[in-house]
Amino acid sequence: MKQLKDIPISVLDLAPIIQGGTAADSFHNSLDLARHAEAWGYHRYWLAEHHNMPGIASSATSLVIGHIAAGTKSIRVGSGGIMLPNHAPLVIAEQFGTLESLYPGRIDLGLGRAPGSDQPAARALRRGLGSDGSDFPEQLSELRAYFDPNGAGSRPPGVRAVPGEGLNVPIWLLGSSGFSARLAGQLGLPFAFASHFAPEYVLPALHLYRSNFQPSEALDKPHVMIGLGITAADTVEEARRLATSQQQQFLNIIRGRSGMLQPPVDSMDGLWSIQERAILLEKQHYSIAGDKAAVTAKLQQILEETEADEWIIASQIYDHKARLHSYELVAEAILNS
């Protein structure tokens, strides 16, 4: 039976821009969090690609990864993820080949097939608006071929990624449904599931991944990382209050809006309808807001349900000091369990 203390923990950073703040503030806070996370024993620090969202600063994901890697010493830094349909695979191979050359042995390449944007942004990115992600396996094959020193795979003849070719950049597939789960299993790649916003698909996706897994050069057995939304504080009441910033963000998503991360409120009553509350609480089945004891108990339950190999934790907390303290408490809850 796996124990909590044996499960590596990582940070998923959406580089939040808070109400009244700027992207520059966000990048400063992200580096500060990464340095603390490194000291607290976190294994990875991943950043997510999103576009046309005023509250998320990590749109130029590769650049922010470089910023974090340059300011830290040992923690692995990567993408959670790069939305591959938005990019030419050659460009991503070159960008991550550059990062791996600058920070050897520390770079991860997590890939998703969603656009990470709305339709206007997708058009501005020159992404095919008719694309449903079904060509993701072909894009992935081309990308992997650029890293292969033997030229295996489906890269265009005569085209090489420099830097990139011959470098070992671990590739992860990310997902919130069964498509990437099955593909990751078939290719023998590690898989990360976004249970913090698609909890209803967690167990079916993990079953698909594990049942389809084929050993590869990358892995000899399945390896799963579970994404969790966690807000920790010294008291349950304070954690629940801090978590209202993330709840307001989810509420905006439900309503098709975007905006900066809002300050916490004492109560969500009056901000959401009964139906919106039900939807939001269902989406937060794998989210945790509590003190160390509550975090430990819920994580133990999720570990028993999912048999996760790693956790990656997203904490959308308005106050930077409170966000730091949340990650510190989570580390203490897990590493001292």
Side-chain angles (χ1 to χ4, degrees):
M1 175 68 101
K2 293 178 181 176
Q3 302 296 315
L4 277 182
K5 63 183 179 181
D6 300 323
I7 308 297
I9 54 174
S10 299
V11 175
L12 176 60
D13 183 10
L14 301 184
I17 304 175
I18 66 170
Q19 185 68 42
T22 66
D25 297 330
S26 174
F27 298 141
H28 174 82
N29 290 340
S30 288
L31 181 55
D32 188 47
L33 172 57
R35 287 170 171 163
H36 280 87
E38 185 173 69
W40 293 328
Y42 281 82
H43 185 44
R44 310 177 196 274
Y45 195 99
W46 282 9
L47 294 128
E49 177 187 350
H50 292 280
H51 299 279
N52 202 29
M53 295 187 179
I56 297 178
S58 53
S59 54
T61 317
S62 299
L63 293 178
V64 188
I65 289 171
H67 170 63
I68 299 300
T72 51
K73 297 178 180 178
S74 59
I75 195 168
R76 297 192 64 87
V77 189
S79 58
I82 290 289
M83 301 298 110
L84 189 55
N86 293 340
H87 310 277
L90 174 61
V91 172
I92 298 303
E94 291 171 340
Q95 288 178 356
F96 278 77
T98 299
L99 289 166
E100 175 63 23
S101 298
L102 289 168
Y103 312 104
R106 295 181 55 204
I107 301 299
D108 296 323
L109 175 51
L111 298 169
R113 70 184 187 101
S117 61
D118 54 21
Q119 288 295 317
R123 185 176 292 107
L125 287 163
R126 307 295 191 269
R127 182 177 185 267
L129 297 183
S131 173
D132 58 1
S134 60
D135 60 346
F136 180 76
E138 289 74 26
Q139 289 185 300
L140 175 61
S141 177
E142 181 182 345
L143 173 60
R144 297 180 75 194
Y146 288 124
F147 289 113
D148 190 332
N150 299 316
S154 57
R155 72 185 190 193
V159 180
R160 301 169 64 185
V162 182
E165 186 176 297
L167 296 180
N168 179 25
V169 180
I171 290 177
W172 291 67
L173 295 195
L174 282 56
S176 57
S177 66
F179 185 99
S180 291
R182 186 188 301 273
L183 182 61
Q186 292 169 343
L187 296 176
L189 295 174
F191 178 58
F193 192 87
S195 58
H196 52 299
F197 62 80
E200 65 272 27
Y201 296 117
V202 173
L203 298 183
L206 296 189
H207 174 74
L208 270 176
Y209 172 62
R210 290 169 173 147
S211 62
N212 282 278
F213 187 84
Q214 299 292 322
S216 69
E217 290 185 5
L219 285 178
D220 59 1
K221 61 181 180 180
H223 190 92
V224 170
M225 181 156 57
I226 300 294
L228 302 171
I230 301 182
T231 304
D234 292 327
T235 67
V236 173
E237 292 75 19
E238 176 62 9
R240 289 175 177 170
R241 190 186 74 86
L242 293 173
T244 60
S245 293
Q246 187 173 35
Q247 289 176 329
Q248 291 175 77
Q249 188 176 57
F250 268 115
L251 187 59
N252 278 336
I253 293 172
I254 292 170
R255 294 173 174 174
R257 301 175 183 172
S258 61
M260 296 179 176
L261 189 66
Q262 298 296 309
V265 293
D266 291 334
S267 173
M268 290 291 290
D269 293 342
L271 296 180
W272 55 16
S273 67
I274 295 175
Q275 294 82 1
E276 288 170 338
R277 179 181 183 275
I279 293 170
L280 194 148
L281 294 181
E282 182 180 358
K283 287 292 185 184
Q284 293 191 310
H285 179 72
Y286 285 100
S287 294
I288 308 170
D291 58 10
K292 280 200 294 186
V295 169
T296 302
K298 183 67 173 181
L299 282 175
Q300 185 62 50
Q301 175 192 332
I302 297 172
L303 178 60
E304 292 170 4
E305 289 180 7
T306 64
E307 298 183 4
D309 300 296
E310 295 190 36
W311 310 119
I312 189 163
I313 296 159
S315 299
Q316 292 292 87
I317 298 172
Y318 180 84
D319 179 75
H320 180 60
K321 289 183 179 179
R323 189 174 184 227
L324 289 177
H325 190 48
S326 177
Y327 277 105
E328 183 181 20
L329 290 173
V330 171
E332 292 175 356
I334 294 175
L335 299 177
N336 299 330
S337 62

